[in-house]
Amino acid sequence: MDLTENKSGKRAMAKNNLPKFFKEIDKETWLVEDERDNMKLHYRVKEVISSEKSPFQHVNIIDSYDFGRCLVLDGVMQTTELDGYIYNEMISHVPAVTHENPKKALIIGGGDCGVASELSKYKELKEIDMVEIDEIVVKECIKNIPAIAANAANDERVNFLFEDGVKFVKGKKDTYDIAIVDSSDPVGPAEVLFSEEFYVDLKNSLKKDGVMVCQSQSPIFHKDVLKRTRSILKKYFPIVRTYKAVVPSYPGGMWSFTLASFKYDPLKANLSRLVSNTKYINKEIFKSSFSLPNFMIEDFEEK
Ligand code: SAM
């Protein structure tokens, strides 16, 4: 890694070595997320803390002016110190509380360790298997973004399994109480995590009263992914519910999560089990997140 001295005297990435999604604008470094043809998100970068090309993707940790430290994969913002807790709490606590007594959890993806850190707040969980394809992501996040990753790194219940989530679930039967698919966008290594084949194998890895949740993208910019995810899950689970939260660093802010369950309904969850050491989710947020705006209900109008 070619490092040079930067303003703060810290060793930083040499600017000419950075991947193309870092742009120099008026002598400042910006991360330019190429979300879509007509929308590019710019984040002003204080320092590129690390930049590595793994066998799967460009892995970058940046320190930004407005979002704090961030994980960026192939030029796409994944999680930030400013607002990562919103997403990590919503995708973790909802299944952990919907299932009445989860003992064994599976995370697919989750490289920043935010989901594993949130699940570790539930003492009743005995085992948390985190299947992340890219070991470099985990290493870099534990080292450089402890605010998100720390709890997981120090919890002996968390088993880090560095392999493809699609291969891992294949053939697994009746193993997990809750499963969380904390994937990057449906491009690159994560594309397969949005396939019907994967969801069927994931379903089979759940126990008879299992609960799964996946991040189902933006209900505004990625309607097709959300609708397709719902229609697949409705084929295999009696209870499928989408819920929402606003994550400022994600395109369009509003984000969706889709829960699928064999037995437990989140709308009937025992919310007294919700832990209180959270920054975003509480009992009211838990319940209200399932109240959806009309445009989402109309989009879903499933016959
Ligand atoms: N919460 C953030 C979000 O929703 O964007 C971050 C998600 S986390 C960083 C996504 C992780 O999924 C990445 O670390 C990536 O390496 C991992 N991943 C992508 N494809 C995978 C696969 N096939 N199996 C396991 N992990 C995968």
Side-chain angles (χ1 to χ4, degrees):
M1 188 189 302
D2 176 7
L3 295 172
T4 60
E5 291 297 307
N6 67 0
K7 287 195 285 281
S8 52
K10 288 209 193 82
R11 295 175 63 67
M13 290 298 301
K15 293 189 175 173
N16 54 358
N17 273 7
L18 293 176
K20 60 184 178 358
F21 38 78
F22 288 107
K23 309 268 187 223
E24 283 301 296
I25 302 172
D26 301 338
K27 295 196 178 62
E28 289 282 356
T29 303
W30 292 77
L31 164 71
V32 180
E33 181 173 323
D34 186 1
E35 161 58 29
R36 49 205 307 116
D37 288 350
N38 305 319
M39 182 165 125
K40 316 289 177 201
L41 305 176
H42 287 58
Y43 301 87
R44 190 170 163 227
V45 177
K46 206 182 278 183
E47 182 186 353
V48 178
I49 295 169
S50 72
S51 181
E52 286 189 64
K53 185 88 173 68
S54 84
F56 307 99
Q57 53 209 338
H58 267 292
V59 182
N60 294 273
I61 304 277
I62 64 171
D63 189 6
S64 67
Y65 283 91
D66 285 7
F67 288 83
R69 289 191 168 203
C70 313
L71 168 67
V72 180
L73 298 179
D74 283 343
V76 177
M77 189 69 93
Q78 297 292 315
T79 195
T80 84
E81 280 181 321
L82 176 76
D83 63 7
Y85 66 89
I86 300 173
Y87 171 99
N88 289 325
E89 289 182 16
M90 289 307 286
I91 202 171
S92 309
H93 295 261
V94 171
V97 171
T98 296
H99 191 292
E100 285 181 2
N101 185 22
K103 293 273 180 284
K104 195 163 173 165
L106 171 65
I107 303 167
I108 301 290
D112 53 83
C113 305
V115 172
S117 293
E118 290 304 322
L119 286 182
S120 68
K121 293 177 180 174
Y122 289 85
K123 296 311 164 212
E124 61 268 39
L125 277 174
K126 299 298 172 228
E127 264 187 276
I128 303 169
D129 287 348
M130 183 175 129
V131 182
E132 162 57 56
I133 200 167
D134 196 338
E135 184 171 2
I136 291 178
V137 177
V138 174
K139 181 172 68 71
E140 289 301 320
C141 290
I142 287 174
K143 182 172 152 217
N144 296 304
I145 322 185
I148 293 177
N151 290 0
N154 305 317
D155 189 320
E156 76 282 351
R157 293 173 296 166
V158 179
N159 306 309
F160 293 106
L161 304 160
F162 299 115
E163 52 188 289
D164 184 336
V166 170
K167 295 194 180 82
F168 179 83
V169 292
K170 202 161 280 306
K172 288 271 183 314
K173 292 264 183 286
D174 196 20
T175 309
Y176 296 101
D177 299 301
I178 57 176
I180 296 173
V181 185
D182 177 22
S183 71
S184 16
D185 294 354
V187 288
E191 190 168 1
V192 288
L193 299 182
F194 290 78
S195 69
E196 181 159 358
E197 178 200 357
F198 167 68
Y199 284 126
V200 171
D201 289 329
L202 186 71
K203 170 193 69 83
N204 294 336
S205 76
L206 289 171
K207 289 182 184 160
K208 300 277 171 287
D209 60 354
V211 177
M212 66 147 282
V213 170
C214 60
Q215 73 90 358
S216 38
Q217 299 286 106
S218 163
I220 293 175
F221 290 125
H222 312 125
K223 290 177 190 280
D224 53 328
V225 175
L226 174 51
K227 286 161 73 174
R228 188 172 171 281
T229 300
R230 283 176 56 89
S231 66
I232 292 171
L233 294 175
K234 286 173 92 75
K235 282 187 198 170
Y236 302 100
F237 291 89
I239 300 168
V240 174
R241 292 197 189 281
T242 295
Y243 58 103
K244 70 188 184 313
V246 173
V247 185
S249 58
Y250 287 174
M254 187 185 281
W255 212 251
S256 77
F257 308 85
T258 297
L259 178 146
S261 172
F262 290 123
K263 175 183 175 187
Y264 302 117
D265 187 338
L267 302 187
K268 297 177 185 138
N270 171 9
L271 299 184
S272 65
R273 292 193 43 247
L274 187 65
V275 295
S276 55
N277 51 337
T278 59
K279 286 173 70 175
Y280 182 80
I281 195 168
N282 56 41
K283 292 176 184 172
E284 292 317 309
I285 289 285
F286 185 115
K287 287 184 288 190
S288 64
S289 68
F290 287 91
S291 301
L292 300 179
N294 289 347
F295 81 87
M296 285 178 76
I297 296 167
E298 281 150 29
D299 282 345
F300 296 162
E301 58 194 31
E302 283 132 1
K303 306 290 175 263

